[in-house]
Amino acid sequence: MTSRCSYSRCSTNKNDQAANNTANLLGCSRCKSARYCSTACQKKDWVFHKFKCVSPEVSRHEVDGFSIEAIQSAINSASPGDIVVIKEGAYGDVGESTLFVNKPIYLWGGEENRDNVVLNCNLVIDESDGDHDGSKAVVVADLFLDGTVTISDNSYKSVTLCNIELKCPNIELKCPNNSPRDALKISGCKGKCLILGCDIYGGSDGVHIASEGVHLKRTCIQYAQHRGIFSRRIFTVEDCEVSGCGGYGIKG
């Protein structure tokens, strides 16, 4: 449970004395985890918090160890709808390891600061664990990821990346099939895909979209080698920044 206001932009979090005064914090009545210094902060944070507002009765799996393999083991042990919690620390070495989220779960990182949980790997979100009924969602939140993210071939109700900082490594490298290394690639999603409050840096393309139903919201995309966003599908952009890219900001 946090000792500060859960709204990351709350001014009281900059004041250690005020931030540590937990007696006056208001708790979220549903999840019992988020806490706020005021109802105003609670309302402002809801756009983010609703993706982590889960009943405390939902099973939680805490990662045991500081390796990508330890995270994968926790994911493999989880059942659909469960929560996998990654504690603060750095996981994996810079290289070509890959973490697979292949079932509808919640994967959560740093409670107060996403930079406190660093994953040095590529992340693949798919449905290789087997077909699901499409009624559940995948949520990945509050992480710094030094690698790429691929969301592909799934029938989940939705896939959400929330408060992720994604830094694509050396863009001169190629993916194993010799295709360009995009920072975030989305394809084959039957449900919705929301990219919320993320910062995406680098890649051949910053975001490559090959699925319908993609929504980019409050997301910053910078320094892609070619295009910030490339898509041949209809998608939604809301309150985003695309800058510093080599070719086009948005190309379709």
Side-chain angles (χ1 to χ4, degrees):
M1 181 178 292
T2 181
S3 61
R4 295 171 176 259
C5 179
S6 294
Y7 180 50
S8 61
R9 296 184 181 180
C10 176
S11 58
T12 64
N13 288 339
K14 299 177 182 179
N15 183 321
D16 289 339
Q17 183 175 354
N20 290 321
N21 184 12
T22 60
N24 296 323
L25 292 178
L26 307 172
C28 175
S29 60
R30 184 186 184 209
C31 69
K32 315 296 184 187
S33 177
R35 306 177 80 189
Y36 299 95
C37 66
S38 66
T39 55
C41 278
Q42 187 172 17
K43 289 179 180 178
K44 291 176 182 177
D45 192 52
W46 178 242
V47 66
F48 296 101
H49 177 60
K50 63 183 176 182
F51 297 104
K52 293 184 67 176
C53 191
V54 180
S55 167
E57 297 179 0
V58 174
S59 296
R60 283 167 163 76
H61 306 259
E62 188 162 309
V63 174
D64 183 16
F66 290 93
S67 66
I68 301 302
E69 291 77 11
I71 302 174
Q72 191 67 67
S73 178
I75 292 173
N76 294 345
S77 298
S79 297
D82 285 358
I83 301 167
V84 174
V85 181
I86 308 174
K87 56 192 174 183
E88 293 184 3
Y91 293 78
D93 299 319
V94 177
E96 289 303 308
S97 58
T98 301
L99 180 68
F100 292 91
V101 175
N102 51 15
K103 62 183 74 171
I105 61 168
Y106 299 87
L107 182 65
W108 292 349
E111 187 175 79
E112 297 183 357
N113 188 337
R114 68 185 179 189
D115 295 339
N116 291 340
V117 178
V118 178
L119 273 56
N120 295 295
C121 68
N122 300 316
L123 175 64
V124 173
I125 300 173
D126 62 14
E127 206 170 5
S128 58
D129 182 58
D131 294 333
H132 299 280
D133 61 11
S135 65
K136 295 185 181 294
V138 171
V139 177
V140 180
D142 302 335
L143 301 169
F144 178 97
L145 199 146
D146 194 346
T148 63
V149 175
T150 302
I151 303 172
S152 65
D153 301 330
N154 69 82
S155 59
Y156 302 130
K157 178 181 179 181
S158 62
V159 176
T160 299
L161 301 184
C162 179
N163 192 33
I164 303 293
E165 182 168 343
L166 174 59
K167 181 182 177 184
C168 184
N170 188 349
I171 58 176
E172 298 302 325
L173 297 175
K174 298 286 187 178
C175 294
N177 62 359
N178 206 39
S179 62
R181 181 186 293 264
D182 300 320
L184 170 60
K185 188 167 186 177
I186 305 168
S187 64
C189 298
K190 295 182 179 179
K192 297 179 180 180
C193 184
L194 174 63
I195 312 301
L196 173 65
C198 296
D199 293 293
I200 301 172
Y201 302 109
S204 178
D205 289 338
V207 180
H208 186 120
I209 301 172
S211 283
E212 304 285 351
V214 176
H215 186 176
L216 301 167
K217 183 174 182 177
R218 298 189 187 183
T219 288
C220 177
I221 302 163
Q222 294 183 306
Y223 312 130
Q225 184 181 31
H226 296 122
R227 299 156 295 202
I229 302 172
F230 177 73
S231 178
R232 301 261 172 150
R233 303 288 192 274
I234 296 173
F235 66 99
T236 301
V237 177
E238 180 182 357
D239 195 19
C240 293
E241 175 187 347
V242 182
S243 63
C245 301
Y248 297 88
I250 301 177
K251 176 72 172 176

